[in-house]
Amino acid sequence: MKDPLGKDGVVDLDELLSLDAVGQAEAVRNGVVSPSEPALAAIARIEALDGELNAVVHRRFERALAEIDDIPENAPFRGVPVLLKDIGWESAGDPCGAGSKILDGVVADHDFHGTSLLRRAGFVILGRTNVPELATTITTEPLAYGPTRNPYHPDYSAGGSSGGSAAAVAAGMVPVATASDGGGSIRIPASMCGLVGLKPTRGRGSVGPSLAESWGGLSTTGVLTRTMRDTAALLDLLSEPMPGDPYTAPAWRRPLAEEVGADPGRLRIGFVTVHPRGEVPEDAEATAAVTRTAALLESLGHEVVPAYPEALADPDFPIYHSAIISANVAAELETIAALRGRPVESAELEPRNRLVAEAGRSMSATDYLAALGMLNGYRRRMAYWWTGHPTAPHPTAPDSAASGFDLLLTPTLAVAPFPLGWISDDDVYLALERAGIGAAFTAPFNSTGQPAISLPAGRTATGLPVGVQFVAAAGREDLLIRIGAQLEIAA
């Protein structure tokens, strides 16, 4: 760990902010810095950088600093600053804008379960981060709050929907920020901002107390970090279930923090560089990231072969995945109408969400159940590839004998890092098409509920980060942490 104390015992803010959450917690616990100094350093960084980046849309600095004295001395992350994604992740007494003005004046009257866990662990909540309106696309450019800019190049997107969180962590404002992922919204911003972004197994983190599940189970909560040990530690913390949850993911045999640095063994890893669904074009930067990573994995002793689940090529998958999202967005608008005491008019929404909401409202209950049924079958077809189930009804592709894999390696983002405005409601149908193509490798694993992680895999020719995705069988976040830590050291 770097020592954040400079000459004469003066705190070096840059050194302190370069520490990850585990490192900052150690510095406080060991008396190297006071419990308030990490938050003060983070506030100074936010005020210096956020005028350009626009990552933080609600600041609660005074309240946060006042809360530090009440944190127990034995809290494991005492004094470590964090930012919350501004959809879900409610914090009592604070607004939750969801990237839109339709929630103006609405203040949360309770903490989200994950927010409560962060508080209990000693984190200091400094504010809330920018999101696209209703979190329904892969770039963070809401009309209500303006675009979030990529710290590596201000003309480029930070991704979405957790784009504000990603930009804040990549810029060193905070070591960790919360996120959620219904189609790639943790992994895509992680890829575009050079971070670690793990989407957990369905049911791993509670979305209570207000919800039983989010987007019909497609969306899960998580964090964006700069290190594998932070990702492991935060997932350990946030995986505590809440009474009344409709389902929970199976427990790990030991904490994920103990998997960091553990030998993953020799793994069987399939990889794909070009999406097998025909309408997704090949991207040279995404392909190069995967081939580089595959070569590194081979050098580490793993079996790495071109192979993928047959179901990944299903041309109907996007239709049913979108149907689940549309119905849930329409239902969310009814909830928002109740919160603010008046209906949400179509004109109050961005054009993209007008279409999404209209599609959801026009759907019958039987249509929705049919979409769920299709995705349930899709999940089982996917699972055979990891388990090697002897009664698999479909051969895997491209090798029919290729079953029983440990991991799948893919690009995270199916397109090169894109500039602001590339996804624009000036042409809403093109915007929806581009978002769907961009999330082509990530969205399937929201439907299957499997854990998936985006890891940094170098830079593009223009100097922007690019990531690769690893997907494991349900419940196997431990394997993702092991392989991620091995690559973090090797790369």
Side-chain angles (χ1 to χ4, degrees):
M1 183 183 79
K2 292 182 178 179
D3 187 350
L5 283 182
K7 294 180 180 179
D8 302 319
V10 176
V11 175
D12 184 316
L13 295 186
D14 288 336
E15 291 290 349
L16 180 57
L17 291 172
S18 72
L19 301 178
D20 63 3
V22 172
Q24 290 189 20
E26 289 175 350
V28 172
R29 189 162 49 249
N30 295 334
V32 176
V33 296
S34 74
S36 63
E37 283 175 308
L40 289 168
I43 289 169
R45 179 68 62 86
I46 292 169
E47 290 180 331
L49 299 183
D50 203 48
E52 179 178 41
L53 295 182
N54 192 35
V56 184
V57 293
H58 174 69
R59 303 180 182 190
R60 58 185 311 276
F61 297 162
E62 290 185 9
R63 288 186 66 192
L65 294 173
E67 292 164 356
I68 292 174
D69 288 342
D70 296 327
I71 300 173
E73 289 188 12
N74 63 351
F77 287 93
R78 183 186 180 205
V80 177
V82 67
L83 290 163
L84 304 180
K85 182 177 180 178
D86 196 32
I87 189 168
W89 290 100
E90 294 91 353
S91 50
D94 296 326
C96 185
S100 178
K101 293 300 184 182
I102 61 175
L103 279 161
D104 278 1
V106 176
V107 173
D109 61 2
H110 66 276
D111 274 353
F112 182 68
H113 180 59
T115 304
S116 297
L117 295 175
L118 291 172
R119 289 190 196 275
R120 190 176 73 189
F123 280 96
V124 180
I125 299 169
L126 296 183
R128 305 183 64 81
T129 60
N130 204 9
V131 298
E133 186 182 69
L134 303 180
T136 55
T137 191
I138 65 169
T139 187
T140 300
E141 304 176 49
L143 294 179
Y145 297 99
T148 292
R149 299 181 181 277
N150 193 308
Y152 287 86
H153 195 305
D155 292 337
Y156 279 75
S157 172
S161 63
S162 307
S165 288
V169 174
M173 296 176 183
V174 288
V176 60
T178 69
S180 55
D181 191 317
S185 290
I186 292 174
R187 292 159 287 163
I188 288 171
S191 176
M192 296 186 72
C193 292
L195 302 174
V196 178
L198 194 157
K199 180 196 80 68
T201 299
R202 180 175 297 152
R204 183 66 71 195
S206 176
V207 293
S210 298
L211 298 175
E213 61 181 11
S214 180
W215 280 9
L218 297 185
S219 184
T220 57
T221 58
V223 293
L224 286 154
T225 77
R226 296 193 296 266
T227 65
M228 289 306 304
R229 70 175 185 171
D230 270 6
T231 291
L234 267 293
L235 193 50
D236 280 334
L237 170 67
L238 294 169
S239 64
E240 180 181 318
M242 187 177 189
D245 286 341
Y247 48 79
T248 57
W252 305 299
R253 65 186 183 92
R254 63 181 182 179
L256 289 184
E258 296 180 23
E259 303 293 352
V260 179
D263 183 4
R266 186 172 190 263
L267 302 178
R268 191 175 192 220
I269 302 171
F271 75 93
V272 59
T273 57
V274 181
H275 201 287
R277 212 172 62 232
E279 74 271 20
V280 181
E282 180 177 5
D283 182 85
E285 302 277 19
T287 295
V290 171
T291 54
R292 284 195 305 270
T293 304
L296 178 56
L297 290 165
E298 279 193 320
S299 75
L300 294 170
H302 300 293
E303 178 189 358
V304 185
V305 297
Y308 58 85
E310 175 271 343
L312 194 61
D314 192 324
D316 293 330
F317 164 77
I319 299 170
Y320 294 101
H321 182 87
S322 298
I324 300 298
I325 293 174
S326 297
N328 278 274
V329 168
E332 286 172 14
L333 292 173
E334 296 300 318
T335 300
I336 291 170
L339 283 173
R340 71 182 201 164
R342 65 185 189 281
V344 177
E345 302 296 337
S346 180
E348 296 179 83
L349 299 172
E350 295 179 20
R352 172 188 72 258
N353 284 321
R354 292 176 204 162
L355 288 179
V356 171
E358 287 168 9
R361 291 178 184 128
S362 68
M363 195 180 305
S364 69
T366 52
D367 289 340
Y368 184 77
L369 291 174
L372 282 179
M374 183 275 177
L375 294 180
N376 286 336
Y378 183 80
R379 180 173 65 249
R380 294 190 187 280
R381 289 163 55 204
M382 278 283 201
Y384 291 132
W385 190 83
W386 277 265
T387 64
H389 197 287
T391 60
H394 299 282
T396 53
D399 178 0
S400 62
S403 60
F405 280 86
D406 297 299
L407 295 171
L408 174 66
L409 167 64
T410 79
T412 302
L413 186 64
V415 296
F418 50 85
L420 293 168
W422 184 73
I423 293 176
S424 168
D425 280 355
D426 290 345
D427 186 336
V428 68
Y429 292 102
L430 179 61
L432 290 168
E433 178 186 350
R434 286 178 169 176
I437 288 173
F441 283 108
T442 54
F445 305 106
N446 294 88
S447 290
T448 66
Q450 294 170 249
I453 191 170
S454 180
L455 298 174
R459 304 281 187 89
T460 68
T462 54
L464 289 158
V466 62
V468 293
Q469 175 181 240
F470 287 90
V471 186
R476 294 306 309 273
E477 289 95 332
D478 57 338
L479 197 55
L480 296 178
I481 295 294
R482 286 188 179 195
I483 196 68
Q486 186 183 46
L487 291 173
E488 185 176 55
I489 294 168

